[in-house]
Amino acid sequence: MNSRDIKDDKYYIEKIKELKEKRRAIILAHNYQRPEIQDLADLVGDSLDLSKKAQASDVETIVFCGVQFMAESAAILSPEKTVLLPVKEAGCQLADMATVQELRKKKEENPEATVVCYVNSSAQVKAESDIGCTSANGVEIVNSLKEDKILFVPDEHLGRYVASKTKKDVILWKGFCPAHYNLLPKDILRTEEEHPEAKVLVHPECRLAVIQLADEAFSTSGMLNYVKESEAKEFIIGTEMGLIHRLKKENPEKNFYVPSENLICPSMKLITLKEVAQSLEKMRYKIEIPEEVRKKAKKSLDRMLEV
Ligand code: 13P
């Protein structure tokens, strides 16, 4: 980064601090955000942490540095607060792979199935589902249900991983996260050869063949907890590379290796300090969800949070 950029950073950080007071705002950042956004945020976390913390925070405005569905989850849980997504194009390709029309059709074809919906989905899709789940609690949620037939949307790979850990009959949806999907078994094998002592941690959105090569499959917060507790000194991290910043910051004595250059989510990188400052200044872009959809979507998230 050149000195001009650092000067800009300082300017925007001061501006954000000032505007945050004025707007009574909290800044939340997902673990995949740019380092400077993570460092600026009041809270950094995974999708489950952030949805719960957004609900509990006593503020008027939530600035959600993440992608659309995450900001929507905050708006579903906190209707009395204004939720802002600093860049309106910050969508999630996985979430966009399930529309409410397609889901209704699939439900008609499988009327006996209980719909479990990964939080990486639109508010409308959540509203059409019976219960939500995150990558951290998918197995627990599915096992908590008395029904045996499950329609799991929209991530085929997380669904397959969950199915491998339960005795339920799981119908899979053809959706995937491009960043995790592009991580291949050969990438893990090559990086393991280069770092034979390293523990391999991957996200459950990866292909099952990749998960089977790993020591553990975890959500982003699961990885952070595991690394903190582990006696190992080296780790191969099979998830979006934004997580490396926090891993290094919290474990300066440990080493982390990225097994593929493809482990990057372009949407997560759209949010910059300038965009956050402008978001607070102009109060944009507000997440608006029709009340009827919000109430139904909240039911499925509340059911998840109860479990
Ligand atoms: P978690 O932070 O809940 O692991 O989810 C990350 C994510 O959205 C992967 O695409």
Side-chain angles (χ1 to χ4, degrees):
M1 184 185 279
N2 62 38
S3 57
R4 172 85 212 288
D5 291 332
I6 292 169
K7 212 168 99 201
D8 280 357
D9 279 7
K10 280 196 182 142
Y11 168 79
Y12 286 119
I13 289 168
E14 280 314 306
K15 193 148 182 72
I16 291 165
K17 279 189 190 151
E18 198 183 291
L19 286 165
K20 220 171 70 166
E21 293 290 311
K22 187 167 155 197
R23 305 292 192 202
R24 293 206 54 236
I26 190 171
I27 299 178
L28 306 181
H30 186 265
N31 289 322
Y32 296 158
Q33 287 287 294
R34 290 171 180 269
E36 63 275 22
I37 299 292
Q38 295 192 28
D39 293 345
L40 166 96
D42 298 295
L43 296 166
V44 186
D46 73 1
S47 347
L48 177 62
D49 287 339
L50 293 176
S51 10
K52 286 202 289 202
K53 284 172 182 158
Q55 192 174 25
S57 64
D58 174 26
V59 292
E60 282 172 18
T61 309
I62 295 171
V63 180
F64 211 119
C65 301
V67 290
Q68 175 84 22
F69 78 82
M70 296 182 179
E72 280 186 7
S73 295
I76 291 166
L77 295 174
S78 306
E80 71 294 351
K81 295 170 193 150
T82 301
V83 179
L84 305 175
L85 178 67
V87 175
K88 69 170 179 306
E89 294 78 19
C92 168
Q93 288 188 63
L94 166 60
D96 293 343
M97 289 179 195
T99 66
V100 70
Q101 291 78 8
E102 290 165 336
L103 178 55
R104 284 188 186 140
K105 187 160 170 275
K106 196 84 173 164
K107 279 169 66 171
E108 268 170 37
E109 289 162 15
N110 299 279
E112 73 291 16
T114 299
V115 183
V116 177
C117 169
Y118 184 31
V119 285
N120 297 31
S121 53
S122 69
Q124 280 81 0
V125 165
K126 287 186 178 79
E128 274 300 313
S129 303
D130 297 300
I131 186 165
C133 82
T134 69
S135 56
N137 65 18
V139 175
E140 208 180 336
I141 296 289
V142 168
N143 277 333
S144 76
L145 299 170
K146 60 179 191 316
E147 297 85 357
D148 280 325
K149 193 155 189 160
I150 309 295
L151 170 58
F152 193 96
V153 289
D155 190 313
E156 176 183 351
H157 302 278
L158 178 64
R160 187 171 291 120
Y161 169 73
V162 168
S164 76
K165 300 271 174 194
T166 71
K167 292 196 165 62
K168 308 276 182 183
D169 176 10
V170 182
I171 305 164
L172 301 172
W173 189 273
K174 285 255 165 252
F176 62 94
C177 157
H180 289 102
Y181 182 74
N182 284 331
L183 178 63
L184 301 176
K186 70 173 176 25
D187 298 320
I188 300 290
L189 295 172
R190 189 196 59 250
T191 320
E192 263 188 319
E193 239 175 70
E194 290 161 8
H195 306 285
E197 300 297 320
K199 289 269 177 211
V200 181
L201 312 183
V202 302
H203 198 277
E205 282 180 20
C206 293
R207 298 156 188 256
L208 196 56
V210 165
I211 297 178
Q212 282 163 347
L213 289 174
D215 291 299
E216 307 285 349
F218 286 129
S219 68
T220 55
S221 59
M223 289 188 193
L224 285 155
N225 292 336
Y226 180 89
V227 167
K228 199 181 270 172
E229 300 299 320
S230 171
E231 299 206 334
K233 293 275 177 264
E234 297 185 293
F235 303 86
I236 294 167
I237 302 296
T239 194
E240 212 279 347
M241 54 180 86
L243 184 67
I244 303 288
H245 174 66
R246 203 172 150 195
L247 283 166
K248 277 191 185 154
K249 200 167 157 181
E250 294 180 8
N251 307 275
E253 74 295 358
K254 299 185 178 179
N255 290 320
F256 304 97
Y257 309 110
V258 177
S260 162
E261 290 304 311
N262 293 327
L263 280 167
I264 187 149
C265 169
S267 287
M268 282 283 179
K269 310 304 174 201
L270 289 175
I271 296 173
T272 62
L273 292 171
K274 183 176 175 183
E275 302 286 355
V276 176
Q278 289 186 342
S279 171
L280 277 164
E281 183 162 23
K282 300 184 175 159
M283 290 299 279
R284 73 183 191 195
Y285 294 90
K286 283 188 190 153
I287 301 288
E288 318 261 11
I289 302 171
E291 186 55 12
E292 199 185 319
V293 174
R294 189 195 69 78
K295 277 194 184 142
K296 281 199 197 157
K298 184 169 185 296
K299 247 191 208 167
S300 90
L301 287 181
D302 280 345
R303 223 180 134 191
M304 166 186 90
L305 293 171
E306 274 162 32
V307 177

